[in-house]
Amino acid sequence: MFSRREFLMAATAASAVLGSGMAGSWSRVMAQQGLSEDALLSMKPVGNLTLVHITDIHAQLKPLYFREPSINLGVGAVAGQPPHVTGADFLKLYDIKPGSPDAYALTSEDFTSLAKTYGRMGGMDRVASVIKRIRAERGEDNVVLLDGGDTWQGSYTAQQTEGADMIEIMNSLSPDAMTGHWEFTYGTDRVEEAIDSLSFPFLGSNIYDNEWDEPAFEHTTMLERGGTKVAVIGQAFPYTPIANPRWMIPGWSFGIREEDIAAHVEEAREAGAEVVVLLSHNGFDVDRKLASRVPGIDVILTGHTHDALPEPVMVGKTLVVASGSNGKFVSRVDLDVRDGRVADWAYRLIPIFSDVITPDADMAALIDKVRAPYEAELARELATTDSLLFRRGNFNGTFDDLICQALLEERDAEISLSPGFRWGTSVLPGQAITVEDLHNACAMSYPAAYRSSMSGATLKDVLEDVADNLFNTDPYYQQGGDMVRVGGMGYTIDPNAQMGSRISNMTVLSSGEPVDPAREYTVAGWASVNEGTEGPAIWDVVENYLTRTGTVALPENQSVKVVG
């Protein structure tokens, strides 16, 4: 009789995620391979240079469940283009069989059922195994490992250690460079101290010193791998001081700074670079636009928007690679560099099925070491859930529905707001909700749960502002995550409408009455970017609610109506 591990090896290998640059062909190619872990990890090598990309790990060290979004709308020219394709449409686009391991890894389709079949994904000990395998097969001198940022934040242990746990793990992995976003929410002093402890460069070509108006970080690292000169330019999240508290990093300014990137590309070429890589935390649509406007970039390794695509998107001669989040995937890009240019390439998005990939023993031991002081608290059970808890989606996620309900009840509010963060893991129906699960959804450095008065007009302004950050047709003006989540209130949104006109039909759910623009409402929320915000930590608010409630059973959220 098959063990679970043997079954998953066979099932996963039969349809492993193998990119080829030809839509629909990768799944069929892998289906012809042998049924083993070797087949899952194997890839026919191409050329003399390999890029390995991980991004948006959000401090997740252990295998986890993570449901991909069911709604990820694109607007303007990118409507209906990857990554703005989800569910059954995604399966059809990439010729993925419903119910397959690939369907589970890459979409939300039948997630709960498939999670019970295929198990957890990720785990940095499994990621380490994959990276070691690639380095062994290709030769360490031919491999460039790059970390796209959002690495130090997003878990209980990272919060307790200010990212020190992740820094120890990443130093062990030995990437060649990283960039950042949520790293900056630890504040200037901690960021500078942490960077000093890295064994590799922290790149930020678009970060300037406010006082001197000059670059504050290294912008490029030059490497020689596979007999090829490689330039890696780092691009931090350009809207960090807007999406996150500016007061935590007052001495630094950010931005896309397209002209700077173009100049760095030109400088790299003049210095002999045969391959130019942009290690970016811009977000997919921003990088797609940037690739169309800045010549000379061979590969953009994108991050921030947590998209996982089994094939790169080609923009002119530039490969745009999206490697997912939370350690679910590792991207491998093989490049054949001849006569100073990329002559050929091959790509593979490797899904980290935790029951298939053997953990690296050294990394597993290191993970146990950094987690040891916190294990008892991490495992403490707060409640059980009858509902699938997840974060991702343009308009709502059930974990945020839970947080909003906790804010309404524990803070005695009429309306609640929860930010549309993309990070946060999933909890299956029937599972206990632990302290670790809760902090995976809210571990951050400005957690105060405020209670204040807002007019109906102000509430509409908040929704309109966030909607424009998400649905502005110019990607360079997309500054945030998903829509703010709302409790106690419903509304209608037209993503294609003009700024200030997207939100309508705002309704108080308890009474069914329209939101009065002139009336003041008691509103509870968290993660305000304003300095001096007062209130209990959000995890304390939700823990109180969970322990009082015992069992979470969430009705389907129908409070947001999408039109247009």
Side-chain angles (χ1 to χ4, degrees):
M1 187 172 182
F2 272 139
S3 70
R4 174 184 171 90
R5 179 179 174 82
E6 290 168 336
F7 166 73
L8 287 173
M9 279 187 176
T12 305
S15 55
V17 185
L18 174 58
S20 65
M22 298 291 290
S25 64
W26 54 274
S27 184
R28 290 190 298 273
V29 169
M30 202 54 199
Q32 298 170 4
Q33 306 301 307
L35 304 182
S36 68
E37 179 176 311
D38 284 347
L40 173 61
L41 298 179
S42 67
M43 175 179 174
K44 183 179 179 180
V46 169
N48 54 322
L49 176 66
T50 293
L51 310 177
V52 180
H53 183 227
I54 50 179
T55 191
D56 295 281
I57 296 169
H58 283 288
Q60 297 303 317
L61 294 174
K62 289 285 192 176
L64 50 79
Y65 296 109
F66 182 84
R67 176 190 181 272
E68 300 294 334
S70 59
I71 300 175
N72 183 11
L73 299 180
V75 291
V78 302
Q81 295 187 28
H84 305 294
V85 184
T86 60
D89 292 333
F90 189 101
L91 300 182
K92 183 177 180 180
L93 175 65
Y94 291 107
D95 193 22
I96 300 171
K97 182 180 178 181
S100 66
D102 310 322
Y104 167 59
L106 289 161
T107 75
S108 62
E109 292 291 283
D110 201 18
F111 178 82
T112 299
S113 175
L114 295 182
K116 294 175 181 177
T117 299
Y118 298 120
R120 297 175 186 264
M121 297 193 70
M124 291 306 293
D125 49 2
R126 277 77 167 179
V127 170
S129 291
V130 171
I131 291 170
K132 283 187 175 181
R133 174 75 170 264
I134 295 171
R135 282 171 166 163
E137 290 183 354
R138 294 290 276 168
E140 287 205 31
D141 291 340
N142 302 322
V143 176
V144 178
L145 171 62
L146 298 169
D147 171 14
D150 276 3
T151 304
W152 306 346
Q153 172 275 339
S155 72
Y156 181 91
T157 57
Q159 183 70 19
Q160 294 298 313
T161 65
E162 294 187 304
D165 61 334
M166 292 305 301
I167 290 169
E168 190 167 356
I169 296 300
M170 297 309 294
N171 278 340
S172 176
L173 277 183
S174 297
D176 291 285
M178 73 173 292
T179 190
H181 169 204
W182 274 89
E183 286 77 7
F184 296 103
T185 62
Y186 289 118
T188 303
D189 291 345
R190 174 56 184 153
V191 170
E192 291 179 338
E193 178 186 44
I195 290 174
D196 285 343
S197 72
L198 298 178
S199 60
F200 49 89
F202 187 106
L203 303 177
S205 66
N206 56 331
I207 308 171
Y208 272 57
D209 181 285
N210 276 331
E211 182 176 359
W212 302 103
D213 193 30
E214 62 185 19
F217 290 81
E218 292 181 68
H219 58 75
T220 304
T221 186
M222 295 289 289
L223 307 165
E224 185 157 345
R225 300 291 163 81
T228 298
K229 290 185 178 180
V230 182
V232 179
I233 302 168
Q235 177 85 346
F237 180 53
Y239 295 110
T240 298
I242 297 173
N244 308 100
R246 185 186 302 270
W247 58 268
M248 290 184 169
I249 46 171
W252 296 328
S253 65
F254 294 66
I256 295 173
R257 304 191 195 273
E258 182 185 284
E259 297 84 358
D260 283 13
I261 297 174
H264 297 323
V265 171
E266 186 173 344
E267 291 165 8
R269 294 294 185 185
E270 290 176 352
E274 299 162 274
V275 173
V276 175
V277 177
L278 182 65
L279 177 62
S280 172
H281 208 88
N282 280 333
F284 193 94
D285 287 338
V286 175
D287 280 326
R288 174 162 34 202
K289 177 177 177 177
L290 189 146
S292 73
R293 294 168 58 87
V294 177
I297 303 174
D298 295 297
V299 181
I300 298 180
L301 302 173
T302 190
H304 177 63
T305 41
H306 291 200
D307 309 299
L309 296 180
E311 298 166 10
V313 170
M314 291 293 301
V315 181
K317 296 181 179 180
T318 302
L319 294 171
V320 183
V321 171
S323 305
S325 66
N326 291 278
K328 279 183 67 176
F329 302 95
V330 172
S331 279
R332 171 178 167 177
V333 185
D334 283 5
L335 301 176
D336 184 8
V337 184
R338 284 178 273 168
D339 301 323
R341 67 179 186 87
V342 176
D344 196 9
W345 59 271
Y347 175 71
R348 183 171 181 184
L349 182 69
I350 302 171
I352 308 300
F353 285 97
S354 303
D355 289 329
V356 175
I357 297 172
T358 303
D360 176 74
D362 293 338
M363 182 60 76
L366 185 56
I367 291 170
D368 289 344
K369 173 198 161 190
V370 300
R371 285 171 56 93
Y374 313 103
E375 281 291 0
E377 180 66 0
L378 290 168
R380 184 164 61 87
E381 297 183 0
L382 306 175
T384 58
T385 181
D386 290 341
S387 304
L388 171 65
L389 301 181
F390 62 90
R391 167 60 61 75
R392 280 304 316 274
N394 280 159
F395 304 105
N396 68 277
T398 53
F399 222 124
D400 286 304
D401 293 342
L402 165 61
I403 292 173
C404 283
Q405 190 61 35
L407 286 165
L408 289 174
E409 296 190 25
E410 299 296 318
R411 300 293 280 155
D412 190 22
E414 296 172 277
I415 294 168
S416 59
L417 304 174
S418 186
F421 298 141
R422 294 185 179 95
W423 49 271
T425 57
S426 302
V427 183
L428 300 185
Q431 286 190 314
I433 304 171
T434 65
V435 168
E436 181 163 26
D437 296 323
L438 172 57
H439 283 256
N440 285 345
C442 59
M444 43 111 79
S445 57
Y446 48 106
Y450 60 84
R451 184 178 185 271
S452 63
S453 179
M454 292 188 192
S455 69
T458 298
L459 283 165
K460 184 176 189 296
D461 288 343
V462 168
L463 293 179
E464 290 282 6
D465 185 59
V466 178
D468 195 63
N469 286 344
L470 181 60
F471 296 118
N472 194 301
T473 55
D474 185 344
Y476 280 11
Y477 290 94
Q478 294 174 4
Q479 300 172 358
D482 287 316
M483 278 297 294
V484 60
R485 280 66 160 112
V486 181
M489 185 181 78
Y491 64 92
T492 298
I493 181 169
D494 181 353
N496 294 304
Q498 295 298 306
M499 182 178 181
S501 302
R502 292 186 176 95
I503 306 297
S504 61
N505 300 326
M506 294 168 60
T507 305
V508 178
L509 296 180
S510 61
S511 65
E513 297 177 354
V515 171
D516 182 350
R519 190 197 143 183
E520 296 289 318
Y521 294 87
T522 302
V523 178
W526 66 288
S528 169
V529 299
N530 296 321
E531 188 173 8
T533 299
E534 296 182 349
I538 185 62
W539 48 77
D540 290 334
V541 173
V542 180
E543 179 173 335
N544 290 341
Y545 174 78
L546 289 172
T547 54
R548 181 170 57 82
T549 303
T551 301
V552 173
L554 298 169
E556 182 181 357
N557 189 328
Q558 297 180 327
S559 62
V560 180
K561 182 180 179 181
V562 183
V563 298

